[in-house]
Amino acid sequence: MAEVYKTKRLKIASAIFIALIVIGFLTFHKPLYKYTLTPEQALVGLSLPESTIGSVEIREIINSEKKNAVLVDVRNVQDYASGHINGAINIPLIDILNEQNYSHLRDLDQDQVNIIIYGKDHLQANGAFMLLKQLGFKNMKFIASEFDIISKMNNDGLKELQLLENMFMDDSIINQFVNPTSKKDSTTEDPPEKITPVKKAKKNSSEGGC
Amino acid sequence: MIMKISRTYLILSVLLAGLAFVLVLLPKTTRNKEIQPDKLLIEINDPARFVNPDFIAERLINEDPSLQLVDVRTKDQFSKFTLPGAVNIPLNEMSNEEWDESLNHEDKDVILFSNDDLYADQAWIISARQGYKNIYVMKGGLNLWFKDILSPEKPSETASKEEFETYYFRKAAAQYFRGPSSIIKTDIAPSNVELKKKEKKISAEGGC
């Protein structure tokens, strides 16, 4: 009799065991998106000329008629509504993985259309770029600058943009401080505050004149 | 009866052995759990990772032991100049496991910096994906560090009290951090001082 109970218990135990495994498989969270690049691969090709787009090229894209490139504005909807670059589409950064937006971008990428991302600053654009890069986007670059500067492109913003492009690798600011020979050093150093008492100029009484 | 029991045991043990084998076949996971793209997006969108140079300066001056600075610029740039106590992890080696020791701190804040903040932020995104916690980015990077901390601009007279407070803090910090470089400066300082002899103005004395 005891043996029968034992087998019954065993059967119940194994049934529960199998049920648990099946439930585990069923409820396993399947991620919607998968990285196609490992972290090592994602770190390749981040140097600026490779991953960003220069001011001259941006201008060409804005002005050209043939659409081999799409500008993607990743700022929020309000910012986009209050002004954006002509022809840019709006996909706010936080919504970039929404099914509709993502599949749209994915189609563009597969059709060899260059995706050019810009945001309110270089970091916002970079965030979108880095995420999509790790998800396997290939035809994609970002503008490493602020929207306020990009939007002035046709006037005086071009020069500012070029300056910004150089900023990320450029050691010149550091060299000002570290390298004593640089000339700017003297200007950055605080000069001892000179107290210049205002001397009352003695009026030279016009002497002479005999 | 005995046969029956041993058969169920056999089935169970085979099942367990099979599962153990599956476990062996599962991909090797790193110490940190990689976060999924949708989670990473939320992290990227959160500006909480940015810290101001002032905050770092203050903690450096106080010799805060819970601060770990990481310079993500190249080895060459690192050897020329870096911040006190910083270790060098070049951006392209960021994902290397050998740096785990420098990045994986439960009780330390790891702060990444580069010339500006772009490369540091790229490094941050990769480390966030790899599941590291307590990692921050120095806003504005070394460029802002030099601008704000080492050569602070005096606020206008109408500026708020806080602005003056940060200014005085930065002035003090500048003196602290200039330490070794100020020696260089004193070397060149004399050449800057031009001894100007005041020419005596010869008052036009009236010639007779």
Side-chain angles (χ1 to χ4, degrees):
Chain A
M1 207 54 183
E3 292 285 303
V4 176
Y5 275 119
K6 221 175 181 180
T7 42
K8 237 183 179 173
R9 262 190 282 164
L10 257 175
K11 269 181 188 165
I12 293 165
S14 52
I16 292 170
F17 184 73
I18 290 163
L20 272 177
I21 290 171
V22 170
I23 290 168
F25 270 112
L26 289 180
T27 55
F28 186 72
H29 174 68
K30 202 181 160 220
L32 239 75
Y33 304 104
K34 266 190 170 171
Y35 298 113
T36 56
L37 298 187
T38 63
E40 294 83 47
Q41 290 167 328
L43 287 167
V44 175
L46 285 183
S47 61
L48 282 197
E50 272 178 274
S51 59
T52 61
I53 182 160
S55 45
V56 181
E57 292 165 274
I58 301 167
R59 211 179 205 179
E60 274 170 17
I61 288 165
I62 295 171
N63 296 335
S64 80
E65 286 300 305
K66 62 169 177 98
K67 285 280 168 264
N68 193 27
V70 169
L71 281 161
V72 178
D73 188 329
V74 295
R75 296 174 307 150
N76 61 37
V77 180
Q78 292 94 311
D79 285 347
Y80 178 80
S82 65
H84 56 265
I85 295 176
N86 269 350
I89 59 168
N90 183 217
I91 299 180
L93 176 59
I94 195 69
D95 298 329
I96 211 163
L97 291 183
N98 284 5
E99 225 172 313
Q100 205 185 341
N101 292 335
Y102 186 75
S103 62
H104 181 52
L105 288 172
R106 182 50 92 197
D107 290 345
L108 289 173
D109 191 56
Q110 273 160 5
D111 294 343
Q112 310 282 320
V113 178
N114 293 308
I115 296 170
I116 291 144
I117 300 168
Y118 73 87
K120 68 171 191 283
D121 58 17
H122 58 287
L123 295 175
Q124 198 183 38
N126 173 55
F129 171 83
M130 286 294 286
L131 184 75
L132 294 179
K133 183 187 162 102
Q134 293 176 72
L135 293 169
F137 280 69
K138 289 190 180 68
N139 303 305
M140 182 184 58
K141 286 189 169 188
F142 72 101
I143 306 178
S145 185
E146 293 162 24
F147 174 73
D148 292 340
I149 293 173
I150 307 166
S151 59
K152 284 193 289 181
M153 279 282 295
N154 289 323
N155 308 318
D156 52 349
L158 197 65
K159 220 173 189 177
E160 253 179 278
L161 190 63
Q162 275 163 343
L163 282 177
L164 261 175
E165 281 162 20
N166 296 328
M167 201 167 72
F168 304 109
M169 273 307 283
D170 193 16
D171 286 339
S172 61
I173 295 180
I174 295 167
N175 289 341
Q176 274 174 34
F177 289 87
V178 180
N179 187 358
T181 51
S182 87
K183 223 183 169 185
K184 240 198 153 182
D185 223 300
S186 53
T187 58
T188 50
E189 209 175 359
D190 296 354
E193 274 176 39
K194 272 184 198 164
I195 301 163
T196 44
V198 183
K199 273 184 194 167
K200 274 189 186 163
K202 269 185 196 167
K203 270 188 189 163
N204 290 351
S205 51
S206 52
E207 291 171 77
C210 306
Chain B
M1 207 62 181
I2 294 161
M3 274 290 286
K4 242 185 178 173
I5 295 165
S6 62
R7 212 165 143 194
T8 26
Y9 273 125
L10 196 76
I11 292 166
L12 265 178
S13 55
V14 166
L15 200 71
L16 279 172
L19 282 170
F21 188 67
V22 171
L23 263 181
V24 171
L25 285 184
L26 280 177
K28 206 181 96 187
T29 47
T30 44
R31 196 132 53 107
N32 290 310
K33 201 166 174 283
E34 189 173 81
I35 63 168
Q36 292 305 322
D38 47 345
K39 292 258 172 58
L40 183 62
L41 175 63
I42 293 165
E43 297 256 340
I44 288 173
N45 211 41
D46 183 3
R49 65 178 177 276
F50 296 110
V51 292
N52 282 326
D54 293 281
F55 179 66
I56 296 164
E58 200 182 326
R59 291 176 72 169
L60 276 176
I61 292 169
N62 294 334
E63 290 175 2
D64 191 338
S66 66
L67 181 76
Q68 173 69 63
L69 289 171
V70 173
D71 189 339
V72 304
R73 299 172 307 149
T74 61
K75 284 195 178 90
D76 201 38
Q77 288 175 310
F78 176 76
S79 64
K80 277 183 198 148
F81 173 84
T82 195
L83 294 178
V87 294
N88 184 215
I89 304 180
L91 175 62
N92 55 1
E93 295 175 20
M94 195 67 200
S95 61
N96 227 327
E97 264 180 47
E98 62 175 301
W99 303 118
D100 191 65
E101 217 175 295
S102 306
L103 295 173
N104 206 350
H105 291 294
E106 292 229 321
D107 49 354
K108 272 189 182 183
D109 293 338
V110 178
I111 293 166
L112 310 175
F113 67 91
S114 54
N115 275 3
D116 198 84
D117 44 21
L118 181 68
Y119 287 121
D121 204 38
Q122 290 177 334
W124 182 88
I125 288 170
I126 295 299
S127 66
R129 168 181 165 179
Q130 291 176 307
Y132 288 112
K133 297 277 184 299
N134 294 340
I135 303 215
Y136 299 87
V137 175
M138 178 165 148
K139 185 101 188 153
L142 285 177
N143 289 355
L144 192 64
W145 171 269
F146 280 108
K147 207 174 132 245
D148 272 5
I149 306 292
L150 290 195
S151 55
E153 249 175 62
K154 198 171 183 176
S156 63
E157 306 218 337
T158 54
S160 66
K161 202 179 154 199
E162 284 83 38
E163 276 178 74
F164 271 100
E165 268 167 17
T166 35
Y167 172 70
Y168 290 124
F169 166 73
R170 285 169 180 177
K171 286 273 277 188
Q175 290 215 318
Y176 178 88
F177 289 111
R178 278 193 176 185
S181 62
S182 62
I183 298 165
I184 308 166
K185 289 212 171 85
T186 47
D187 282 344
I188 53 153
S191 65
N192 282 345
V193 182
E194 282 171 40
L195 294 173
K196 270 189 190 164
K197 277 181 190 168
K198 275 191 185 160
E199 285 171 35
K200 273 185 192 164
K201 269 189 190 161
I202 300 163
S203 53
E205 289 169 72
C208 301

mmCIF file of all heavy atoms in Angstrom, chain A residues 18 53 70 80 105 114 118 124 128 167 179 202:
data_model
loop_
_atom_site.group_PDB
_atom_site.id
_atom_site.type_symbol
_atom_site.label_atom_id
_atom_site.label_comp_id
_atom_site.label_asym_id
_atom_site.label_seq_id
_atom_site.Cartn_x
_atom_site.Cartn_y
_atom_site.Cartn_z
ATOM 1 N N ILE A 18 7.392 19.081 -14.590
ATOM 2 C CA ILE A 18 7.295 19.324 -16.030
ATOM 3 C C ILE A 18 6.437 20.556 -16.310
ATOM 4 O O ILE A 18 6.762 21.393 -17.142
ATOM 5 C CB ILE A 18 6.743 18.069 -16.747
ATOM 6 C CG1 ILE A 18 7.813 16.967 -16.693
ATOM 7 C CG2 ILE A 18 6.395 18.371 -18.195
ATOM 8 C CD1 ILE A 18 7.289 15.589 -16.992
ATOM 9 N N ILE A 53 28.533 63.500 -39.747
ATOM 10 C CA ILE A 53 28.456 64.088 -41.068
ATOM 11 C C ILE A 53 28.890 65.540 -40.971
ATOM 12 O O ILE A 53 28.536 66.244 -40.037
ATOM 13 C CB ILE A 53 27.031 63.909 -41.627
ATOM 14 C CG1 ILE A 53 26.927 64.457 -43.027
ATOM 15 C CG2 ILE A 53 25.979 64.497 -40.725
ATOM 16 C CD1 ILE A 53 25.754 63.899 -43.785
ATOM 17 N N VAL A 70 17.790 60.818 -45.546
ATOM 18 C CA VAL A 70 16.653 61.318 -44.771
ATOM 19 C C VAL A 70 17.181 61.898 -43.467
ATOM 20 O O VAL A 70 17.978 61.272 -42.773
ATOM 21 C CB VAL A 70 15.654 60.179 -44.469
ATOM 22 C CG1 VAL A 70 14.635 60.623 -43.443
ATOM 23 C CG2 VAL A 70 14.961 59.738 -45.729
ATOM 24 N N TYR A 80 10.101 70.027 -32.384
ATOM 25 C CA TYR A 80 10.020 69.833 -33.832
ATOM 26 C C TYR A 80 8.994 70.787 -34.424
ATOM 27 O O TYR A 80 9.230 71.407 -35.456
ATOM 28 C CB TYR A 80 9.642 68.387 -34.133
ATOM 29 C CG TYR A 80 9.477 68.067 -35.594
ATOM 30 C CD1 TYR A 80 10.583 67.826 -36.401
ATOM 31 C CD2 TYR A 80 8.207 67.992 -36.172
ATOM 32 C CE1 TYR A 80 10.436 67.526 -37.742
ATOM 33 C CE2 TYR A 80 8.051 67.691 -37.509
ATOM 34 C CZ TYR A 80 9.161 67.455 -38.300
ATOM 35 O OH TYR A 80 9.011 67.164 -39.621
ATOM 36 N N LEU A 105 12.302 53.147 -39.999
ATOM 37 C CA LEU A 105 13.750 53.365 -40.063
ATOM 38 C C LEU A 105 14.458 52.145 -40.649
ATOM 39 O O LEU A 105 15.386 52.259 -41.452
ATOM 40 C CB LEU A 105 14.308 53.666 -38.668
ATOM 41 C CG LEU A 105 13.960 55.028 -38.076
ATOM 42 C CD1 LEU A 105 14.416 55.103 -36.627
ATOM 43 C CD2 LEU A 105 14.611 56.141 -38.873
ATOM 44 N N ASN A 114 20.499 56.879 -46.672
ATOM 45 C CA ASN A 114 21.308 57.324 -45.546
ATOM 46 C C ASN A 114 20.431 58.021 -44.508
ATOM 47 O O ASN A 114 19.695 58.945 -44.835
ATOM 48 C CB ASN A 114 22.384 58.296 -46.018
ATOM 49 C CG ASN A 114 23.399 57.599 -46.881
ATOM 50 O OD1 ASN A 114 23.953 56.568 -46.494
ATOM 51 N ND2 ASN A 114 23.631 58.135 -48.063
ATOM 52 N N TYR A 118 19.793 64.125 -36.129
ATOM 53 C CA TYR A 118 20.196 65.278 -35.329
ATOM 54 C C TYR A 118 19.240 65.450 -34.162
ATOM 55 O O TYR A 118 18.110 64.978 -34.198
ATOM 56 C CB TYR A 118 20.304 66.552 -36.168
ATOM 57 C CG TYR A 118 18.984 67.154 -36.612
ATOM 58 C CD1 TYR A 118 18.313 68.048 -35.784
ATOM 59 C CD2 TYR A 118 18.430 66.836 -37.836
ATOM 60 C CE1 TYR A 118 17.107 68.610 -36.187
ATOM 61 C CE2 TYR A 118 17.233 67.383 -38.235
ATOM 62 C CZ TYR A 118 16.564 68.266 -37.415
ATOM 63 O OH TYR A 118 15.375 68.798 -37.796
ATOM 64 N N GLN A 124 22.174 64.001 -27.662
ATOM 65 C CA GLN A 124 20.887 63.390 -27.988
ATOM 66 C C GLN A 124 20.972 62.646 -29.322
ATOM 67 O O GLN A 124 20.490 61.518 -29.444
ATOM 68 C CB GLN A 124 19.787 64.454 -28.043
ATOM 69 C CG GLN A 124 18.409 63.858 -27.948
ATOM 70 C CD GLN A 124 17.326 64.898 -28.084
ATOM 71 O OE1 GLN A 124 17.432 65.843 -28.861
ATOM 72 N NE2 GLN A 124 16.261 64.724 -27.326
ATOM 73 N N ALA A 128 20.692 58.303 -29.993
ATOM 74 C CA ALA A 128 19.908 57.588 -31.001
ATOM 75 C C ALA A 128 20.830 56.798 -31.925
ATOM 76 O O ALA A 128 20.567 55.642 -32.255
ATOM 77 C CB ALA A 128 19.090 58.582 -31.817
ATOM 78 N N MET A 167 36.016 70.018 -31.937
ATOM 79 C CA MET A 167 36.151 70.157 -30.496
ATOM 80 C C MET A 167 36.408 68.829 -29.773
ATOM 81 O O MET A 167 37.087 68.784 -28.767
ATOM 82 C CB MET A 167 34.855 70.748 -29.975
ATOM 83 C CG MET A 167 34.932 71.417 -28.665
ATOM 84 S SD MET A 167 33.418 72.352 -28.471
ATOM 85 C CE MET A 167 32.243 71.041 -28.195
ATOM 86 N N ASN A 179 50.675 73.323 -21.807
ATOM 87 C CA ASN A 179 51.859 73.709 -22.542
ATOM 88 C C ASN A 179 52.188 75.175 -22.272
ATOM 89 O O ASN A 179 51.448 76.055 -22.674
ATOM 90 C CB ASN A 179 51.577 73.475 -24.026
ATOM 91 C CG ASN A 179 52.796 73.681 -24.863
ATOM 92 O OD1 ASN A 179 53.850 74.030 -24.357
ATOM 93 N ND2 ASN A 179 52.650 73.484 -26.151
ATOM 94 N N LYS A 202 48.821 116.496 -11.886
ATOM 95 C CA LYS A 202 49.096 117.876 -11.467
ATOM 96 C C LYS A 202 49.072 118.767 -12.685
ATOM 97 O O LYS A 202 49.671 118.442 -13.717
ATOM 98 C CB LYS A 202 50.485 117.965 -10.857
ATOM 99 C CG LYS A 202 50.482 117.745 -9.358
ATOM 100 C CD LYS A 202 51.871 117.969 -8.841
ATOM 101 C CE LYS A 202 52.010 117.383 -7.445
ATOM 102 N NZ LYS A 202 53.422 117.311 -7.067
#
